């Protein structure tokens, strides 16, 4: 059974991340210098696969991460569906300023199914995350690309793997550190029959050993 391998990587740190600000698809912020240095340190200490094809979110923080971690990639494909969730009126605001906001509390409660003004409904977000994961594998299978990488956002990775990843885990258990993520694989049979992927290991390789 032939397997196609895709390394999912969360983008590096931005100043907004350091400041505790909600950064969704409505905020196109680049990496901060600390974020760039952290990525280079990870690259120097651990092993990232270096495929010729890299998929990326259109947001600057993901594109810059892709350029740093996968400099030799000849085929960089930007996919709009890899962007982060849209946080609407909560975009760009600090968490500590929102904790007493009634609408924010509703948004944090999954049972409420609440969408902030101008935000992306959670159901729509999950639908596109699950869909784009399988679409990347479809592209790889149709073009004969056996290995690729994908640089996107933490929320996107959590949604993808909570829906399609094996073993089954809650979304928060698929959280990835900046510059890190998961190697996943999928066979044509898995793609056609079950629409699932197998999560193989933490990326970059060796990072899990360091964390243990």
């Amino acid at each position: 059974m032939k397997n196609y391998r895709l390394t999912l990587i969360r983008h590096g740190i931005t100043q907004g991340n350091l400041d505790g600000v909600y950064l969704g698809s409505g905020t196109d912020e680049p990496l901060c210098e600390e974020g760039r240095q952290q990525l280079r340190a990870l690259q120097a200490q651990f092993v990232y696969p270096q495929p010729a094809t890299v998929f990326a979110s259109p947001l600057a923080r993901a594109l810059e991460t892709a350029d740093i971690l996968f400099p030799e990639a000849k085929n960089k494909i930007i996919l709009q569906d890899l962007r982060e969730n849209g946080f609407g009126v909560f975009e760009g605001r600090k968490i500590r300023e929102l904790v007493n906001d009634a609408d924010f509390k509703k948004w944090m409660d999954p049972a409420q199914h609440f969408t902030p003004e101008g935000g992306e409904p959670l159901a729509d977000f999950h639908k596109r995350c699950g869909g784009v994961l399988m679409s990347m594998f479809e592209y790889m299978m149709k073009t004969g690309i056996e290995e690729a990488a994908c640089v996107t956002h933490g929320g996107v990775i959590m949604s993808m793997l909570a829906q399609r990843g094996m073993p089954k885990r809650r979304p928060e258990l698929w959280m990835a550190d900046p510059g890190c993520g998961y190697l996943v694989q999928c066979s044509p049979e898995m793609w056609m029959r079950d629409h699932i992927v197998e999560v193989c290991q933490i990326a970059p390789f060796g990072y899990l050993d360091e964390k243990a």
Side-chain angles (χ1 to χ4, degrees):
M1 182 183 299
K2 187 173 186 177
N3 283 310
Y4 295 79
R5 295 156 61 90
L6 179 65
T7 304
L8 303 173
I9 296 292
R10 180 186 176 188
H11 67 77
I13 295 171
T14 71
Q15 189 60 47
N17 296 145
L18 295 177
D19 294 341
V21 170
Y22 268 102
L23 299 179
S25 60
T27 305
D28 198 8
E29 185 173 84
L31 301 177
C32 63
E33 187 54 36
E34 181 176 336
R36 297 183 190 101
Q37 291 177 3
Q38 184 187 62
L39 290 176
R40 294 188 182 106
L42 287 169
Q43 192 176 42
Q45 187 174 2
F46 304 109
V47 177
Y48 288 89
Q50 291 298 315
T53 297
V54 176
F55 302 98
S57 159
L59 299 180
R61 52 196 185 268
L63 293 172
E64 191 174 356
T65 299
D67 287 341
I68 292 172
L69 295 182
F70 305 102
E72 302 302 319
K74 305 299 184 186
N75 186 26
K76 292 184 178 177
I77 302 172
I78 298 172
L79 297 177
Q80 291 294 324
D81 282 347
L82 287 173
R83 69 191 185 280
E84 182 59 283
N85 191 9
F87 300 150
V89 294
F90 299 140
E91 191 84 42
R93 295 181 63 186
K94 293 185 177 181
I95 298 170
R96 64 174 179 267
E97 297 171 354
L98 293 169
V99 290
N100 295 318
D101 186 297
D103 284 343
F104 182 76
K105 290 178 181 178
K106 287 193 287 186
W107 187 47
M108 289 289 100
D109 181 358
Q112 296 282 338
H113 303 289
F114 178 79
T115 302
E117 181 181 349
E120 179 179 14
L122 200 56
D124 293 352
F125 172 69
H126 289 316
K127 181 177 180 180
R128 70 171 168 86
C129 289
V132 74
L133 176 62
M134 304 316 292
S135 293
M136 287 187 287
F137 275 110
E138 180 180 18
Y139 175 83
M140 293 170 66
M141 291 173 190
K142 287 183 175 179
T143 56
I145 297 170
E146 295 185 22
E147 184 171 4
C150 168
V151 181
T152 183
H153 307 267
V156 174
I157 293 173
M158 286 191 289
S159 177
M160 284 176 171
L161 298 184
Q163 295 181 76
R164 305 293 187 187
M166 292 297 293
K168 296 295 291 183
R169 293 178 180 170
R170 298 191 306 275
E172 62 270 21
L173 296 180
W174 290 120
M175 188 176 295
D177 292 340
C180 302
Y182 302 92
L183 171 65
V184 301
Q185 66 180 18
C186 185
S187 68
E189 291 81 1
M190 291 166 64
W191 183 87
M192 293 181 64
R193 183 187 63 225
D194 303 315
H195 304 289
I196 60 171
V197 302
E198 179 186 3
V199 183
C200 302
Q201 66 186 96
I202 300 287
F205 307 145
Y207 185 74
L208 180 61
D209 298 333
E210 185 74 14
K211 295 280 285 186

